[in-house]
Amino acid sequence: QSSLEVAKPIPKASVRSTPSMDDGTSAMPSNVNHSMHVTFNEFLARYEGLPEEWQHMNQQFGVPYGSIPKSSVPGYDERIPSVLIMMKRNLVENNGRDQVGIFRLAPDRDDCDFVKNQINTGQFDSVEDVNVIANLIKVWFRDMPSGLLNTIDDETIYKIADLPTEQVPSEYHKFAEPTKSLFLWLLDLMAEVVTNEAVNKMSAKNMSIVLSPNLYQINSENPMAALTMAQKIADFTTKMLAGRLREKHGYDARI
């Protein structure tokens, strides 16, 4: 599977050999007649030096997963979207793990929309309000064209939701890529918050309740069926998080 090569400058010449996306297609237009110097800034998750007509290349929310620039992260078999790594870093650097109700408290909508637009247009540097960046991590998953957990069949979701915690890791290691790496990355972010629950009051159950609605797109028109599935997704996410906390972080979640 081909992934985007990051942090490599495109020579000051007509662009012909360019980075590729997950599906093997070119990440940048080719056969351009004018000279330019375009680079991908992995730290800030954005292309720099783009001509005006290519600014859409910095769109990070709501685009197909294969089109998102990704970076290697130790511990995961597949690359992780650079924008998620950047947002997590901003959250950690501003002590988001110490914020009471982090990921639960809703930020000002205008502030959130402003920062989201900054990210989508390659203008974002940082934001001090950790509730804004935590919310945008949820929004990024919610805006995925297909829900992260929709790639997992309902039978598996129901099965894991009812498993003892100690049996969960052997199940999630069977997940197909890139779902497995992306979900484990998210679970590890959630775990870093939960292991500080004495300060932030966000238990494994609380984290799962606020994150899970953003991970699965419920298509049923039956209100009761939709409610049942939403609850099952929350139970599944809780059990997955408890399993990851035990396996990787040595933490016994109270669920």
Side-chain angles (χ1 to χ4, degrees):
Q1 182 179 13
S2 175
S3 299
L4 176 68
E5 295 298 327
V6 296
K8 292 184 178 180
I10 298 173
K12 289 185 177 179
S14 295
V15 179
R16 298 182 185 279
S17 177
T18 61
S20 62
M21 295 300 183
D22 287 353
D23 60 1
T25 59
S26 173
M28 304 289 287
S30 59
N31 297 321
V32 178
N33 293 324
H34 56 277
S35 296
M36 69 186 73
H37 185 68
V38 178
T39 57
F40 183 74
N41 185 326
E42 187 172 14
F43 188 80
L44 293 174
R46 68 189 183 201
Y47 287 105
E48 296 177 341
L50 286 172
E52 187 66 31
E53 62 270 23
W54 288 6
Q55 288 301 320
H56 65 279
M57 295 295 299
N58 276 319
Q59 180 81 19
Q60 301 283 356
F61 289 80
V63 299
Y65 190 72
S67 300
I68 295 288
K70 302 174 183 69
S71 305
S72 295
V73 180
Y76 308 98
D77 293 336
E78 293 288 327
R79 294 183 172 202
I80 305 301
S82 304
V83 65
L84 290 178
I85 298 168
M86 180 266 291
M87 288 195 288
K88 176 185 175 181
R89 184 178 62 251
N90 194 275
L91 184 74
V92 172
E93 289 178 350
N94 287 285
N95 302 311
R97 292 177 67 249
D98 297 334
Q99 172 69 51
V100 174
I102 190 66
F103 283 100
R104 179 176 58 80
L105 297 179
D108 180 86
R109 175 173 289 187
D110 289 341
D111 289 347
C112 199
D113 288 346
F114 176 78
V115 174
K116 181 181 180 182
N117 183 67
Q118 280 192 316
I119 294 174
N120 270 336
T121 55
Q123 301 178 69
F124 177 80
D125 290 314
S126 66
V127 59
E128 293 184 2
D129 188 342
V130 291
N131 291 310
V132 167
I133 210 71
N135 187 65
L136 284 175
I137 291 173
K138 294 192 296 184
V139 170
W140 189 91
F141 282 95
R142 185 168 68 240
D143 285 357
M144 290 181 73
S146 179
L148 174 63
L149 301 184
N150 286 80
T151 61
I152 304 171
D153 62 82
D154 291 355
E155 181 180 351
T156 299
I157 288 173
Y158 274 73
K159 173 187 175 182
I160 292 177
D162 294 329
L163 281 179
T165 301
E166 61 270 17
Q167 295 181 24
V168 171
S170 63
E171 294 296 324
Y172 61 58
H173 284 301
K174 299 176 186 175
F175 290 172
E177 295 289 5
T179 298
K180 182 176 79 170
S181 289
L182 182 57
F183 195 22
L184 291 181
W185 181 90
L186 177 61
L187 289 172
D188 287 335
L189 171 58
M190 296 166 70
E192 289 179 33
V193 173
V194 173
T195 53
N196 198 38
E197 64 177 306
V199 174
N200 59 44
K201 312 304 180 186
M202 292 301 291
S203 66
K205 194 169 187 65
N206 288 342
M207 280 296 292
S208 298
I209 288 172
V210 298
L211 262 296
S212 62
N214 305 285
L215 307 179
Y216 188 88
Q217 296 175 6
I218 298 174
N219 300 315
S220 175
E221 296 182 2
N222 182 324
M224 285 305 297
L227 183 61
T228 300
M229 193 61 195
Q231 182 60 55
K232 190 57 65 174
I233 291 294
D235 293 344
F236 167 82
T237 305
T238 301
K239 196 61 66 72
M240 288 282 292
L241 178 54
R244 188 64 170 175
L245 277 160
R246 174 174 291 194
E247 180 197 38
K248 183 176 180 180
H249 302 269
Y251 190 87
D252 188 15
R254 303 184 305 276
I255 60 172

